[in-house]
Amino acid sequence: MRLFLTLILSTLSFVSVAAQQDFYKTFGEYTIQYTAINTTDIDPDVAKQSGLPRSKKIGLLNIVALKDEIQSFEPSMIKLSAYNLLGQEVPLDLLIHKEQTSVYYLATFRKHENDNLWFKIDIQFTPESKVESFKFTKEVFIQ
């Protein structure tokens, strides 16, 4: 399983660096890294092993929560939303992938034509902390 995760993350890292779509948001000692890509950018073998669909009409949102910029952890609450330019909600299918020292939130979404999508991430780092929210936009293309 560790090999699977290494393959998928290296694929996502390569794609995000190549497309310059690597983003992060910092809240004190916590950092959220997020990337949205086309699932056709994922290696077919990696997608098959992970159960992720590959289609020109499906995108992938990848979220990782870090503490002190290095240690992955599972926040108390995370909610992911996506909306098109008309304000219509785009359903997200969330997959949480846990390893010994890492937690990854992978959400697939359907793409309709070329579109700009707004993603909203609500996260509560600890049960005692307030809910933090932020949004970002991503132009998605049907290739």
Side-chain angles (χ1 to χ4, degrees), residues 11 14 25 27-28 32 37 41 60 70 117:
T11 300
F14 173 75
K25 185 78 172 173
F27 301 93
I32 305 301
I37 65 168
D41 293 332
L60 177 71
I70 54 170
L117 293 180

Side-chain angles (χ1 to χ4, degrees), residues 5-57:
L5 192 55
T6 301
L7 289 172
I8 194 166
L9 291 178
S10 63
T11 300
L12 291 175
S13 296
F14 173 75
V15 169
S16 62
V17 168
Q20 296 186 6
Q21 293 299 317
D22 224 354
F23 298 102
Y24 67 93
K25 185 78 172 173
T26 301
F27 301 93
E29 65 185 326
Y30 301 102
T31 301
I32 305 301
Q33 294 179 343
Y34 54 96
T35 306
I37 65 168
N38 293 313
T39 56
T40 54
D41 293 332
I42 301 171
D43 181 270
D45 293 331
V46 172
K48 185 176 180 180
Q49 287 178 342
S50 65
L52 291 171
R54 286 186 79 243
S55 169
K56 66 182 181 178
K57 293 185 176 185

Side-chain angles (χ1 to χ4, degrees), residues 63-76:
I63 308 286
V64 177
L66 301 172
K67 184 174 180 180
D68 299 323
E69 297 183 10
I70 54 170
Q71 180 184 356
S72 178
F73 76 103
E74 187 171 4
S76 294

Side-chain angles (χ1 to χ4, degrees), residues 20-143:
Q20 296 186 6
Q21 293 299 317
D22 224 354
F23 298 102
Y24 67 93
K25 185 78 172 173
T26 301
F27 301 93
E29 65 185 326
Y30 301 102
T31 301
I32 305 301
Q33 294 179 343
Y34 54 96
T35 306
I37 65 168
N38 293 313
T39 56
T40 54
D41 293 332
I42 301 171
D43 181 270
D45 293 331
V46 172
K48 185 176 180 180
Q49 287 178 342
S50 65
L52 291 171
R54 286 186 79 243
S55 169
K56 66 182 181 178
K57 293 185 176 185
I58 298 177
L60 177 71
L61 176 63
N62 177 35
I63 308 286
V64 177
L66 301 172
K67 184 174 180 180
D68 299 323
E69 297 183 10
I70 54 170
Q71 180 184 356
S72 178
F73 76 103
E74 187 171 4
S76 294
M77 183 278 297
I78 188 165
K79 179 183 175 194
L80 308 174
S81 309
Y83 302 89
N84 64 20
L85 288 178
L86 298 175
Q88 300 166 321
E89 187 166 5
V90 176
L92 297 174
D93 295 320
L94 181 64
L95 169 68
I96 300 172
H97 182 81
K98 296 180 183 181
E99 287 201 349
Q100 291 175 345
T101 60
S102 303
V103 181
Y104 304 91
Y105 299 88
L106 305 172
T108 57
F109 56 91
R110 292 201 97 15
K111 302 184 295 182
H112 303 283
E113 301 303 321
N114 297 339
D115 201 2
N116 280 315
L117 293 180
W118 286 95
F119 294 94
K120 182 179 180 203
I121 301 172
D122 298 312
I123 188 163
Q124 184 176 22
F125 298 105
T126 67
E128 300 80 30
S129 67
K130 70 177 187 168
V131 175
E132 301 285 358
S133 298
F134 66 97
K135 296 178 183 177
F136 71 97
T137 186
K138 170 71 175 163
E139 190 171 8
V140 294
F141 298 97
I142 294 181
Q143 300 172 335

